[in-house]
Amino acid sequence: MDLGISGKRALVCASSKGLGFGCAEALAAAGVNLVMNARGAEALEAAAAKLRDAHGVDVATVAADITSEEGRAAVLEAAGQVDILVTNAGGPPPGMWHDWSRDDFIAALDANMLTPIALMQAVLPGMMERGWGRVVNITSQSVKAPIPQLGLSNAARTGLTGFVAGTARQVAPSGVTINNLLPGIHATDRAEALDGPVAKAEGITIEEAQARRASTIPARRYGTSEEFGATCAFLCSQHAGFIVGQNILLDGGGVNATL
Ligand code: NAP
């Protein structure tokens, strides 16, 4: 399917690896020029080179922490006028509800709620003026079904979801859509970082921990960055202009709910 977005320009945050890279790759395959971001310059440059070589699109890179004010300023300056924004950042650490301090909550809110909001506030006016834009926020299945040990994530991402629900409807008349993608478990570094401690605590291998987790998912496997990216690219396509303010779960059926 021709997504109809060849030649557009996208800012994909936190995209040297994992789900962000999957989104950047699928957009590049659709002919979209990219601004990619991550903190580590080496992996970022390698990821950008891979997409330039494979798809012949322009790829600019900005090595910066997207959750810091300076990092965001550098990324937004390099990005300039963008048609597509994919927000993403690392997730908060796991823990127990009684251990988190005010500072822990502020850090999680900064990274996973206020950073995507600040990025949207920066790019939405230009998109609205030009009458076309797509924003996809990478959030988490924890918005629909809480993951108890990820309380910081549950809290911050639910706040973002509330903001998007209202804002998406305010910008839709200008041809701009905002939607959220909610990953369930996907085979990325982040998943390994969560499975590792479980394996250690239970005295099993990480493969055993992953197999056990996969067995609880109706699809009986982890998702891939490629299939996640393809869904993101579709949401950014010309065909998705009537999808507004939605929360789309990619979880292999993991959240057991009728709606
Ligand atoms: P990942 O494989 O660990 O990749 C994270 C990417 O983001 C890397 O490119 C990393 O590069 C970059 N990054 C992290 N923090 C950043 C920052 N502050 N500024 C700029 N770039 C940053 O993670 P993932 O699995 O793709 O997860 C992406 C998001 O989805 C996370 O918020 C995660 O919590 C959420 N999520 C993931 C899953 C899953 O199963 N994978 C499930 C639910 C939710 P650098 O480290 O070099 O910056």
Side-chain angles (χ1 to χ4, degrees):
M1 182 192 287
D2 179 0
L3 297 185
I5 49 177
S6 181
K8 298 236 181 245
R9 182 172 169 84
L11 166 57
V12 187
C13 302
S15 56
S16 65
K17 297 179 189 165
L19 305 180
F21 180 76
C23 296
E25 187 168 37
L27 288 169
V32 174
N33 298 312
L34 300 172
V35 180
M36 294 174 72
N37 151 260
R39 291 164 303 180
E42 201 177 319
L44 179 62
E45 291 310 326
K50 189 173 168 194
L51 297 188
R52 274 186 213 108
D53 291 350
H55 303 290
V57 292
D58 293 340
V59 184
T61 55
V62 187
D65 182 345
I66 198 69
T67 67
S68 75
E69 212 168 319
E70 316 79 67
R72 270 193 306 281
V75 169
L76 286 167
E77 193 184 333
Q81 182 174 301
V82 294
D83 309 295
I84 294 167
L85 167 68
V86 180
T87 75
N88 186 28
M96 281 297 285
W97 59 271
H98 42 71
D99 293 335
W100 293 314
S101 66
R102 176 179 166 78
D103 286 348
D104 294 323
F105 278 101
I106 297 293
L109 293 174
D110 257 341
N112 299 108
M113 177 183 167
L114 299 177
T115 288
I117 290 176
L119 290 164
M120 283 187 268
Q121 287 174 323
V123 304
L124 284 171
M127 290 178 177
M128 293 167 75
E129 213 175 288
R130 296 187 296 279
W132 196 94
R134 298 282 185 266
V135 178
V136 174
N137 299 296
I138 300 180
T139 67
S140 172
Q141 75 171 29
S142 69
V143 170
K144 291 238 185 204
I147 302 171
Q149 69 277 20
L150 291 179
L152 293 172
S153 172
N154 299 340
R157 297 184 199 276
T158 305
L160 172 63
T161 305
F163 174 82
V164 166
T167 307
R169 286 158 173 96
Q170 288 176 301
V171 302
S174 302
V176 178
T177 70
I178 314 178
N179 292 287
N180 302 320
L181 278 182
L182 284 53
I185 191 71
H186 282 68
T188 66
D189 289 359
R190 165 79 172 169
E192 280 202 17
L194 294 175
D195 287 334
V198 172
K200 200 169 161 202
E202 309 211 1
I204 57 176
T205 65
I206 191 158
E207 289 76 19
E208 285 168 333
Q210 287 166 341
R212 202 171 63 184
R213 196 206 285 244
S215 73
T216 67
I217 300 166
R220 298 286 186 268
R221 65 176 177 87
Y222 285 22
T224 69
S225 299
E226 290 79 8
E227 55 199 353
F228 189 89
T231 309
C232 175
F234 179 76
L235 277 182
C236 297
S237 76
Q238 297 293 359
H239 311 295
F242 210 49
I243 304 178
V244 170
Q246 297 304 298
N247 290 284
I248 296 166
L249 197 54
L250 289 107
D251 71 339
V255 172
N256 189 30
T258 304
L259 285 176

